[in-house]
Amino acid sequence: MMSESNEHPDKKALLVVSFGTGFPLTREKTIDRIEESLSMSFPDRTLYRAWTSGMIIRKLQKKDIFVMNVREAMEAMIHDGITDVIVQPTHVINGIENDRMKEDILSYADSFASVSIGVPLLTSTQDNEEAIRAVMNEWQIPEEEALVFMGHGTTHYANSIYAALDYTFKDLGYKNVFIGTVEAYPSFQNLLRQIQNYSPGKIHLAPFMIVAGDHAINDMSGDNPDSWKSLFEEAGFSVECYLKGLGEYEGIRTLFVRHAKEAV
């Protein structure tokens, strides 16, 4: 994915920054597809990849799979003679990972003639509405059933986006769609109370994360007693799980392309 050549006649690059995943199948369906869409939209730019999760990068290194972090990618582009960079993160929110990414990029800004940074998926109210429509274009859930999305959640103040999203789903007419987070608010318990009030005949569970990785496989759909699937079943609901990351939705990829274009 990263160019190793020093021959860049136009000296322009597109750096796509993701959290990363240790699961190759979901990476191919999500991160790879987003990078593909972005690269096709900027055919005059050399594509570079960086991930922000040091834990995942180190885990892959043990399998002889090497992915650069943001600083390494910036240094590689300097080495390759790149002068003009667009950076597009595939992060869902403007949280901790995105803040760190921007710090790393800006520390190298003086080495380039131009550095433009696109915003994460959910940055404006328009983004929230477009993302919801992009996702719901691919779901047909009967009114008497519920679609429940699992977001990641963060201690960062940007976490408030998840409650706003839940409200926006309802405001756009999707009254049987709910969103909670693994690590913050709305928590599973907050979600369970809403679901019990709605009293659906069946629950459809899906991740609201770029990849259907560890959280989706274990915390959402796992057979362990603490997974959302198990907890909903324990509460008396019939549950069906879907391992489909946000990167698999065409409309979500289109939204990232718009953000990259707006950054220029």
Side-chain angles (χ1 to χ4, degrees):
M1 188 59 67
M2 186 203 82
S3 170
E4 300 290 347
S5 170
N6 284 325
E7 297 178 10
H8 295 278
D10 49 18
K11 305 295 185 187
K12 292 182 177 181
L14 170 67
L15 172 61
V16 182
V17 180
S18 303
F19 180 80
T21 179
F23 296 88
L25 287 178
T26 188
R27 189 210 69 230
E28 289 168 10
K29 294 178 186 174
T30 56
I31 294 173
D32 289 6
R33 295 291 305 280
I34 295 169
E35 290 174 346
E36 197 178 282
S37 295
L38 284 161
S39 187
M40 286 172 64
S41 298
F42 294 92
D44 62 329
R45 291 178 180 266
T46 303
L47 178 66
Y48 290 75
R49 164 188 286 174
W51 288 0
T52 57
S53 173
M55 183 183 71
I56 292 172
I57 289 172
R58 289 188 295 273
K59 183 178 171 184
L60 292 180
Q61 278 175 349
K62 292 175 183 174
K63 301 177 183 177
D64 291 326
I65 299 167
F66 299 94
V67 180
M68 293 183 291
N69 62 32
V70 174
R71 287 180 169 271
E72 289 167 343
M74 298 303 281
E75 286 168 8
M77 288 188 289
I78 292 168
H79 175 266
D80 290 346
I82 298 295
T83 58
D84 184 294
V85 186
I86 297 172
V87 182
Q88 180 54 51
T90 70
H91 299 140
V92 175
I93 65 172
N94 290 269
I96 296 165
E97 298 293 324
N98 206 69
D99 285 351
R100 287 178 185 155
M101 176 203 76
K102 285 193 286 188
E103 284 175 21
D104 287 343
I105 289 163
L106 293 174
S107 69
Y108 286 91
D110 291 345
S111 300
F112 299 89
S114 168
V115 177
S116 306
I117 306 175
V119 295
L121 182 69
L122 305 177
T123 299
S124 67
T125 302
Q126 181 189 351
D127 292 341
N128 297 351
E129 292 178 0
E130 281 189 29
I132 285 172
R133 290 195 173 97
V135 168
M136 295 312 295
N137 276 346
E138 302 189 29
W139 287 93
Q140 297 294 327
I141 302 296
E143 201 172 286
E144 65 276 9
E145 299 178 3
L147 173 58
V148 177
F149 286 111
M150 171 188 270
H152 190 281
T154 174
T155 52
H156 193 280
Y157 60 82
N159 188 76
S160 58
I161 195 72
Y162 291 106
L165 263 187
D166 188 82
Y167 184 95
T168 310
F169 271 112
K170 312 292 189 297
D171 197 39
L172 293 177
Y174 304 109
K175 64 180 182 179
N176 60 339
V177 180
F178 303 83
I179 185 165
T181 69
V182 191
E183 297 187 359
Y185 181 87
S187 68
F188 177 81
Q189 291 306 322
N190 303 131
L191 202 55
L192 182 59
R193 285 193 291 274
Q194 287 189 60
I195 299 292
Q196 285 173 328
N197 286 336
Y198 192 79
S199 194
K202 182 178 181 179
I203 291 174
H204 302 266
L205 263 182
F208 203 88
M209 305 176 196
I210 296 301
V211 302
D214 187 54
H215 284 304
I217 292 165
N218 297 308
D219 299 320
M220 187 189 84
S221 59
D223 290 325
N224 52 300
D226 293 332
S227 75
W228 283 19
K229 172 179 175 282
S230 297
L231 292 170
F232 275 129
E233 286 176 341
E234 189 184 326
F237 295 103
S238 167
V239 181
E240 188 170 351
C241 298
Y242 305 82
L243 294 176
K244 181 175 182 173
L246 290 177
E248 295 184 54
Y249 297 87
E250 185 181 352
I252 295 293
R253 298 194 295 271
T254 300
L255 193 43
F256 280 124
V257 169
R258 173 167 72 75
H259 285 176
K261 287 180 174 176
E262 287 172 352
V264 180

